[in-house]
Amino acid sequence: MKKAPKVNEVNEFLEIASDFEDPLEVIRESLSNSYDANASNIEIEIKSREMGSDIIIDDDGDGMDLRDLESFFDLGNSRKTDSIGYKGHGTKIFYKSDEIVVNTVHDGTNLRAVMSDPWKKLNNRVLPEYEVTETPVSNLHKGTRIRIHNFRSGQGFDPESLTYNKIEHYLKWKTIAGSTAHMFEDDQHEMDITVRLGDEIDDSYPEVETKNRLEFPNEQLEPDYSSDFPAERMCKHYGPTEVEADYDGGTTTLHITGMVGGKAARNELPTYGKHSAQFGVWLAKDHIKVERLNEAISHDNEFLHFFFVVNCQDIELSANRETIRNKSSPVFQALKEATEFHLSKVAQDPWFKEYLEIRREAEIKRRARNRRASLKLRRERVESGDSGEPSNRTEVLLTLARENENTLPGQISVEDYEPDSDVHAIARQNGKLRNAAVHCSLTNHFNEELTFEEVDLIICWDHGDPVVLREYERQGYLGEDIEIDLEENGLLYGDENPTYVEILPLSHHIEPMSPRAVADD
Amino acid sequence: MGDARAGKLTIGDSVIETPNLFPVVNFYGGGTENSVYGGGIHRTVKEFMIGADRIGGDDAYAKFFDAVMTSVSSLTDYNVSKERYADYVYEPIKEREVFSPFNGVIFLDSGGFKFLNNESLDGSDFQEDIDQAKVFEIQKRMGGDIIVNLDHPITPSDTHEERLEKARKTGKNIEIFLDLSDEYTGARYLTLHGYNYSMMDAFLTEITDYVSAEKLRSSFDGIALGSLVPMKDNRSALIDAVIDCHEVLHDWGFDKLPLHVLGISSRAVPLLVALGVDTFDSSTYLQNAINGGYFLSLMETVNVNEANFDECDCPVCSSQHMRRWMRGNAPYKKDMLGPVAMHNLIIQKREIEEVRQRVKSGDSSSLVEYIEGTVAQDKPTRESAHRVVNHSLGGYFQ
C-alpha cells in the first residue's frame, strides 16, 4: 500500500506568515512584485489603526490574471522562477490581517479578490478563502491596488518606531529601492516609489519619494587639506565589474560594485540600523543586499572604509530573505574566493593606500597639535613655579637630581636604575653606594608588596596617607613587625635583628619654586 | 611594456631570448667523465642535458639548457681530491667531449656568497686560497660565458659600517677584475648589493672610489643583483629591492644594461619580469625534486607519488622509461628524482616562455592576466602580485 505524505496547510500558512518578523517586509515584497509587473510608479500608504495598520499598495504595472491572483494567495505556487518571491512565500505576510482586498486590471479585465479575517481563521485552524469577482474595464486602466486592513504590524508601524527617515533608509537598504542592478543592466526599468505615512505616525513630511536605484556618494579622489580631516570626504568608486567564478559543477557570475571612502562620504549613504554595521562587503541577490561577508577584507584593511555589493543569482535565501542558505555549497565557496580576490585588488589599489596614508598623517598631526596644546600648559606650569608632584619613579629621580644641589642634605647621585626590580636604584651618597627604592609615596612600597631586606633608603615625594602607614604598624607587614617614624624619617622592619631603612621625602625639602627667568625662545 | 621588457642577449655566438630563467647546474659533482662528473641528481640532470643513453638518448631536452647557472664555489662541494680538482679546472666545460652536445650560455658565478666566511676552496686533501685573481683564473679555465667579479654579499644583520667595508672589498676586486679580464671574450657582469635604494646607492658610491662610474659603464655588460637569497621568503622585500634597483640603475646611467637577479625562488619569476628583470637563476626545480616535489605549474607542487603523468605532455612524462624511474623503479634514488627535476625545469621553462610571449605582445593586460591567474591566486603572494601590477603594469582601477 502506497501512502502520500500530508501537509497541514493551515500550519504552513501560519508558519510562513509568522516567519516575517519585520512588518516593513510588506513593503519589500510589494515593491518587488510591482517591479516584476513592470510598474513605473508605486505608491504605498500606511495608517495606524487600533489593532494594527491599514496598508494600501497601488501600482501602474501589468496587473494580474486569474492565475497570477491564485499564486498571490497560494503558498509555494509562484509563477516566478528566479527573482524575489519565486517561493511564493512573500505575500503570505498579508495574512496577518483582518482583510485583504485586491483590485487588479489586466487585459481589459478587473479582478477583485476579497479575503476576510485571514489571521483569525488561521489561528482557529481554518484555511481562509477568498472571493473573486470579474468586471470588464477599458484598456486604458492598468495596475494593481492591494488594501490590507488591520495588518498585525506589532510595534513596527507605531508612531514611536516608524518615521519617514526610517522608511527611506529601509527602502534603500533592504528593498529593490536600493538595487544596484542599474549599474550593470541597461534593461532595468526605472520605478518611482512613493511612501505616505498617516499624520498620526509621522507628520514631518507629506511623503517620501525615491527610485529603485542605489547611488553612491560622488567621487572625490583628492584630499581636502583645508580641513583637519583631509581624507574624510575622499571617495572612489570601484566597478561595476562582472566576474566569472568557476566551481566544481559550473560557473557563476558575480556583479561587484562598490566604493571606498572616508566617514563624511560614507555618511551620505543611507543608514539602516547601526551605522557601523552596514559597511564592508554585502552579498546580494536580485541586487538587494542580504548578508555581509566582511572576512573578504583582510584584517589590516578595516572593512569600515568599504561599501561593496556583490550580487550573485546562485545564492539561495531563507524564506524571509534574511540569510543565505547554501553557504556550504561549492558555488558559495567560489563566490567567497572570487570576492576575496577582487577585494584584495581594491585593498592594494594605490589610491586606497594613499587614502589610508593621508588619514594616518592627519591623525599624527592632530595628535601633535593636541600635544602642543598640552605642552603650552606644561611650560606655563613650569614657569609659574608649580611643576606639580612627580607622577612616576622617573619623575621622582628627576626631582632628586634637580634639587640635589639646592636643598638636599648630602649629595645623592643615581648610578643605576632598574624600575622593574625590587631595589629600583643604586645611589651614591657621600661616596658610599646605597640600595634605594623609589616611590611617589612611601605607601606605594607597601601597596606593591615590596620587601625591605635589601633596601637602605626609600626616595619618595611624600609619605602618602599616614593612616595607611599606621595600620601597617598596628597589624605588621608581611608577617613581621614594623615601626615607622615619620618625624625622623626612618623605619625599622623585622622581629629579630630589625632592618633600618632611611626615608627621604623630597617634598619636605623643597620649597615651592618662585618663577625663574626663562630664556626667550 | 610597463617596466617589463623582452629581448635577446647575445654573448659571443650564443643568442638567448629574455626574459629567461637559468637553471642551476652542477657540472662537477665529485665524479669522473664516465659518470658525467657525478653529483647524484645533478648527474641525471646533466644526462638529460647531453641526451645520454641512460635517459633514452633523447636530444629533446637540450633546448631547456639554453642558459645555465653554475658557480666557482661548487667545484669542491663534493670534497674532491686535489688531483680531481685540477682535472675539473683543466679545460673549459664546453670543450669536454662529454659535454659537447651542450651549447648553452654558462653564467659562472664567483661564489662570493660561499667564500664570505672562508676565503678558500676546501677539498679532501688541499686548500686553495681564493681571491679575485684566482676566481677569474678559474672562470676563464672553465669557460664562463657570463662572469662576475668576486663580491662580498651583505646579510640583513650587517651594520652600515660592515656593509661599507664589504663594498670597499668588492670595489678593490672590481678594479682587479676589470684589469685582468680586459681581453676576456665573454660578458662581464657587475655585482650590485643592497636591499633598498640608499643601500645600493651607497654601494655604488663606495666602489666608484676604486673604479670610476664611466669605466663601470663602459666595461660591464650587465648587472647582477645579489644578496637577495635571505629575502627568498620575503616577497615584499624582494620586490622593494628590485624596484629600488631599477631606480638606482637609472640614476647611475646603468639602465640600458641587462639585469640579472641572483638566486631566487622561481615563483617570483612573473613578478620580476613585470618589474623589468631580464634574467634570473634558480635551483627550485632541483630542490623541489630532491624533496619529491613534482610541479603541476609554477605555483602548484604535488608529491611525485601522487602525480598523474598522463596529465603532462612533457618529454619526461611522455617517456615510459622515465615514468618507471619516477615511480621508483630506477637503479638509484637519484634516477628516481632526476627526471622529476627535469620535468620541473620544463614546467618552469614553459612558463617563462609563456610570460615572454605575453611581454612580446606589448599588451600589458595579457601579463596582468597571467599574474592574476598564477601568483595572485596564491594567498601569501597575492599582495605582492597586486603591488607589482599597480607599480609596473598600470594597475587595476585607473
Side-chain angles (χ1 to χ4, degrees), chain A residues 87-157:
Chain A
K87 290 197 185 73
H89 287 181
T91 48
K92 279 13 113 200
I93 188 172
F94 299 145
Y95 279 57
K96 291 170 85 171
S97 66
D98 290 347
E99 186 185 48
I100 304 171
V101 181
V102 180
N103 271 291
T104 183
V105 178
H106 181 80
D107 276 351
T109 303
N110 180 68
L111 294 177
R112 175 182 164 86
V114 181
M115 179 184 271
S116 302
D117 293 320
W119 195 232
K120 196 164 138 192
K121 285 175 182 161
L122 282 176
N123 281 290
N124 291 333
R125 298 287 180 269
V126 176
L127 200 61
E129 293 174 331
Y130 58 98
E131 186 158 353
V132 183
T133 47
E134 197 173 318
T135 43
V137 287
S138 87
N139 265 337
L140 295 173
H141 287 80
K142 59 182 251 186
T144 302
R145 180 182 170 91
I146 301 165
R147 197 169 57 80
I148 296 126
H149 179 54
N150 262 336
F151 172 67
R152 299 292 193 282
S153 52
Q155 307 300 310
F157 287 177

Side-chain angles (χ1 to χ4, degrees), chain A residues 126-399:
Chain A
V126 176
L127 200 61
E129 293 174 331
Y130 58 98
E131 186 158 353
V132 183
T133 47
E134 197 173 318
T135 43
V137 287
S138 87
N139 265 337
L140 295 173
H141 287 80
K142 59 182 251 186
T144 302
R145 180 182 170 91
I146 301 165
R147 197 169 57 80
I148 296 126
H149 179 54
N150 262 336
F151 172 67
R152 299 292 193 282
S153 52
Q155 307 300 310
F157 287 177
D158 277 359
E160 292 81 44
S161 64
L162 193 64
T163 59
Y164 277 117
N165 192 332
K166 185 175 174 184
I167 285 268
E168 182 166 24
H169 289 305
Y170 176 81
L171 289 174
K172 285 294 170 202
W173 208 255
K174 295 278 192 179
T175 78
I176 200 166
S179 167
T180 46
H182 65 99
M183 302 185 189
F184 295 93
E185 301 160 24
D186 299 334
D187 63 351
Q188 197 231 17
H189 71 270
E190 228 175 286
M191 184 166 81
D192 289 323
I193 299 163
T194 309
V195 179
R196 249 175 253 113
L197 300 176
D199 285 352
E200 69 287 351
I201 299 177
D202 185 354
D203 60 357
S204 57
Y205 301 96
E207 59 191 23
V208 59
E209 285 184 51
T210 184
K211 290 192 181 310
N212 55 335
R213 305 188 157 193
L214 181 77
E215 304 287 355
F216 294 139
N218 289 336
E219 276 198 326
Q220 183 192 311
L221 299 179
E222 297 301 323
D224 170 12
Y225 284 116
S226 67
S227 151
D228 277 355
F229 299 87
E232 196 177 41
R233 182 53 189 76
M234 283 175 83
C235 176
K236 181 173 176 179
H237 297 178
Y238 290 89
T241 313
E242 197 171 300
V243 175
E244 300 277 311
D246 296 332
Y247 61 96
D248 204 1
T251 301
T252 187
T253 305
L254 277 55
H255 288 102
I256 309 179
T257 182
M259 59 160 277
V260 172
K263 199 168 163 191
R266 297 195 310 263
N267 282 347
E268 294 172 27
L269 286 165
T271 305
Y272 184 69
K274 209 164 132 219
H275 191 62
S276 65
Q278 62 185 37
F279 298 118
V281 182
W282 284 87
L283 299 180
K285 184 167 186 175
D286 307 314
H287 295 276
I288 299 174
K289 299 168 281 300
V290 184
E291 268 192 72
R292 286 199 298 174
L293 182 76
N294 284 350
E295 64 262 38
I297 299 167
S298 70
H299 288 301
D300 38 0
N301 299 299
E302 297 163 59
F303 65 81
L304 220 57
H305 308 283
F306 295 70
F307 175 62
F308 274 75
V309 181
V310 179
N311 189 73
C312 176
Q313 289 308 100
D314 291 324
I315 287 176
E316 290 172 17
L317 303 181
S318 59
N320 66 3
R321 292 194 50 92
E322 291 294 320
T323 51
I324 295 170
R325 285 187 330 165
N326 58 338
K327 281 186 186 154
S328 54
S329 64
V331 67
F332 188 81
Q333 282 309 314
L335 155 77
K336 249 175 76 170
E337 277 165 33
T339 303
E340 209 172 298
F341 185 71
H342 186 79
L343 268 298
S344 75
K345 289 202 256 182
V346 175
Q348 286 300 313
D349 181 26
W351 179 88
F352 176 61
K353 285 179 166 308
E354 190 192 0
Y355 155 82
L356 288 179
E357 189 54 26
I358 291 164
R359 279 181 89 245
R360 199 179 70 89
E361 287 167 3
E363 171 65 20
I364 290 170
K365 285 174 184 160
R366 277 198 305 277
R367 277 208 303 267
R369 268 198 299 279
N370 295 342
R371 281 198 300 267
R372 276 201 292 281
S374 82
L375 178 64
K376 191 161 167 278
L377 286 174
R378 278 161 62 200
R379 289 180 64 110
E380 282 167 1
R381 221 179 29 232
V382 169
E383 284 186 32
S384 72
D386 173 22
S387 291
E389 291 180 17
S391 59
N392 57 49
R393 290 193 178 105
T394 309
E395 286 182 1
V396 171
L397 292 181
L398 285 169
T399 308

Side-chain angles (χ1 to χ4, degrees), chain B residues 137-152:
Chain B
E137 187 198 333
I138 298 170
Q139 286 170 323
K140 199 165 58 174
R141 280 164 161 259
M142 290 173 76
D145 299 301
I146 302 174
I147 57 173
V148 291
N149 54 279
L150 175 60
D151 54 347
H152 290 263

Side-chain angles (χ1 to χ4, degrees), chain B residues 190 192 197-209 211-214 216-218 223 244-257:
Chain B
L190 166 69
L192 173 61
Y197 184 100
S198 305
M199 261 191 224
M200 294 179 213
D201 188 57
F203 173 85
L204 289 170
T205 305
E206 213 56 40
I207 64 170
T208 44
D209 282 353
V211 181
S212 73
E214 286 73 32
L216 292 176
R217 275 191 287 268
S218 62
I223 302 286
D244 284 11
C245 170
H246 248 282
E247 238 176 286
V248 166
L249 293 178
H250 175 267
D251 292 355
W252 280 76
F254 292 125
D255 45 341
K256 294 283 180 285
L257 295 178

Side-chain angles (χ1 to χ4, degrees), chain A residues 47-54 98 149-152 154 158:
Chain A
K47 288 194 161 70
S48 197
R49 292 285 176 260
E50 189 133 347
M51 294 292 292
S53 321
D54 281 0
D98 290 347
H149 179 54
N150 262 336
F151 172 67
R152 299 292 193 282
D158 277 359

